[in-house]
Amino acid sequence: MCDEVFGENNFRNYIIVRRRVKSLNIQFADKGLNSYNIGFEYILVYSKSDAFLFKDIRMEKENIPQKGSWNVFWSNADRPSMRYDLLGFTPKTGQWRWSKEKANEAVENYKIYEEIYSKKLTLEEYWISQNKDLKFIRRIPNGEGKNGGVQYWIPPNTTSLRTSDWTDLEVSQIKKDFDIPFDNPKSTKLIKTIISSCDEEEFIVLDFFSGSSTTAHSVMESNIELGGNRKFIMVQLPEQVDEKSDAYKSGYKNICDIGKERIRRAGDKILKDNKDKEGIENLDIGFKVFRVENSNIRWENQLEEDGQIKYDLDGKNIDDIDFVPGTKDIDVVYETLLRHYGIPLTAKIEKLDFIGNRTYTI
């Protein structure tokens, strides 16, 4: 299905995420098992085009190295313009990793360290004292081979680049953030990690099967943690909840009711938890709710020849216009925006009470 929607050429990755496993097989283990419990789930990653590039995602290492390491400064990519004299050696094939200017600067950095600081500081200590900004290059005496013994220093790193193995993260979140009756909510940490893979601060996140609206919660938290103004669209059929369920007894008639309450509580909690953070007053936690309905207006009687909407027909008062019974004014406003002006649903709409109780500005 995703191949048909996005094109099979735009498939990027399978990502595996850990699944919490119930120990159902234990009672049968002594007699033998037909299969092992499934311990992970797949995330299928597609792009809209080959122009999209992931932002690198880093994770904390379990065993943090205390020392840096030296590595070969030569690579086998064939770029003659990147073959230049460095510490008395010029490679005949392949290339150096950095530009000549950057490499020479790294050579000077190491010379300064050796001549002035090496007797009192390790290279790691010196690097830290220089705000972890410096790069270093050296050459091993009598170095041979394609790189002539030229090496560059890799500093100790507390993080590593994520792969497609995300089994340190769980699909579901066992401990709920709020006392809302909904089974197996997705993990906000997982959704936030997915969001962080896009190197933009303003984009729309669509969840077409939104459930308890974990995605909306995650988007708002991402905005406060990563900065930016990402927006969300949650889509969910108003599936009725079981009348015998805790959700129904708590006043939630369908899944959408649960999602809306989750978004409200999540927004309030984010503001409360970050009340002292700079710029928190600008964090947008608002949302609008729409449902698919039939038209509020009997349009066949309401249009001028040029397609403009005509509310005053044959001298009638607006109260006599052919609206569907029970229609609210604000519903007509939004329908008008969509059908005739292409104005987004996120537009700011204000009621002008000082003119009349049926006048709106957009």
Side-chain angles (χ1 to χ4, degrees), residues 14-51:
Y14 290 113
I15 293 175
I16 59 171
V17 185
R18 182 156 50 98
R19 178 180 181 181
R20 186 171 288 267
V21 178
K22 296 180 180 179
S23 301
L24 298 178
N25 274 350
I26 290 179
Q27 58 183 313
F28 307 112
D30 293 341
K31 298 178 180 179
L33 303 173
N34 288 324
S35 65
Y36 294 109
N37 281 336
I38 297 173
F40 61 88
E41 293 188 15
Y42 290 104
I43 296 174
L44 274 62
V45 184
Y46 284 77
S47 63
K48 289 180 67 176
S49 75
D50 58 7

Side-chain angles (χ1 to χ4, degrees), residues 46-225:
Y46 284 77
S47 63
K48 289 180 67 176
S49 75
D50 58 7
F52 174 77
L53 296 175
F54 293 106
K55 178 183 178 182
D56 64 300
I57 305 177
R58 307 199 72 85
M59 58 183 296
E60 293 293 325
K61 290 182 177 178
E62 292 185 3
N63 300 312
I64 300 175
Q66 300 300 312
K67 297 189 67 176
S69 60
W70 291 96
N71 202 350
V72 176
F73 189 60
W74 177 90
S75 76
N76 62 1
D78 189 21
R79 291 176 61 190
S81 62
M82 292 287 283
R83 297 198 286 262
Y84 48 81
D85 178 74
L86 189 61
L87 293 170
F89 181 83
T90 303
K92 295 180 180 179
T93 61
Q95 67 170 72
W96 295 129
R97 293 179 180 272
W98 304 335
S99 68
K100 184 175 182 179
E101 179 182 353
K102 189 175 179 180
N104 285 333
E105 182 180 339
V107 168
E108 289 302 314
N109 290 340
Y110 190 68
K111 285 181 179 179
I112 293 172
Y113 166 72
E114 282 280 272
E115 294 171 3
I116 303 175
Y117 299 98
S118 60
K119 293 182 180 180
K120 53 187 176 182
L121 295 174
T122 65
L123 187 54
E124 287 78 12
E125 290 170 339
Y126 177 61
W127 173 70
I128 291 172
S129 72
Q130 301 300 306
N131 297 319
K132 302 181 178 181
D133 285 337
L134 299 184
K135 299 181 181 298
F136 304 104
I137 289 178
R138 72 180 184 184
R139 184 181 180 190
I140 299 173
N142 303 317
E144 298 179 353
K146 294 180 179 180
N147 69 309
V150 178
Q151 300 176 325
Y152 74 109
W153 187 69
I154 302 173
N157 200 334
T158 61
T159 63
S160 60
L161 191 63
R162 269 203 182 276
T163 66
S164 60
D165 180 356
W166 290 16
T167 48
D168 58 304
L169 301 176
E170 286 194 358
V171 174
S172 298
Q173 184 167 310
I174 303 304
K175 182 181 178 181
K176 295 181 180 179
D177 296 293
F178 311 101
D179 185 23
I180 297 177
F182 191 86
D183 295 332
N184 301 317
K186 293 295 181 286
S187 164
T188 55
K189 186 174 182 180
L190 170 61
I191 304 300
K192 287 189 290 185
T193 302
I194 295 173
I195 290 172
S196 71
S197 70
C198 184
D199 194 17
E200 299 286 343
E201 292 191 345
E202 294 194 16
F203 55 86
I204 296 172
V205 180
L206 168 66
D207 188 338
F208 206 71
F209 302 89
S210 60
S212 66
S213 294
T214 298
T215 300
H217 185 176
S218 303
V219 169
M220 292 188 291
E221 283 195 348
S222 294
N223 286 339
I224 195 67
E225 294 172 7

Side-chain angles (χ1 to χ4, degrees), residues 314-346:
D314 301 326
K316 293 181 180 178
N317 186 280
I318 191 169
D319 292 325
D320 299 323
I321 299 302
D322 202 11
F323 295 117
V324 174
T327 294
K328 297 178 181 178
D329 286 352
I330 193 65
D331 296 338
V332 176
V333 170
Y334 277 111
E335 185 172 349
T336 304
L337 297 190
L338 289 176
R339 292 187 69 137
H340 292 277
Y341 298 105
I343 297 174
L345 294 172
T346 51

Side-chain angles (χ1 to χ4, degrees), residues 295-332:
S295 176
N296 299 288
I297 306 168
R298 297 192 173 105
W299 290 98
E300 61 272 14
N301 300 322
Q302 304 294 117
L303 300 180
E304 299 279 14
E305 291 182 1
D306 60 2
Q308 294 298 309
I309 301 168
K310 177 175 60 175
Y311 287 143
D312 190 2
L313 299 175
D314 301 326
K316 293 181 180 178
N317 186 280
I318 191 169
D319 292 325
D320 299 323
I321 299 302
D322 202 11
F323 295 117
V324 174
T327 294
K328 297 178 181 178
D329 286 352
I330 193 65
D331 296 338
V332 176

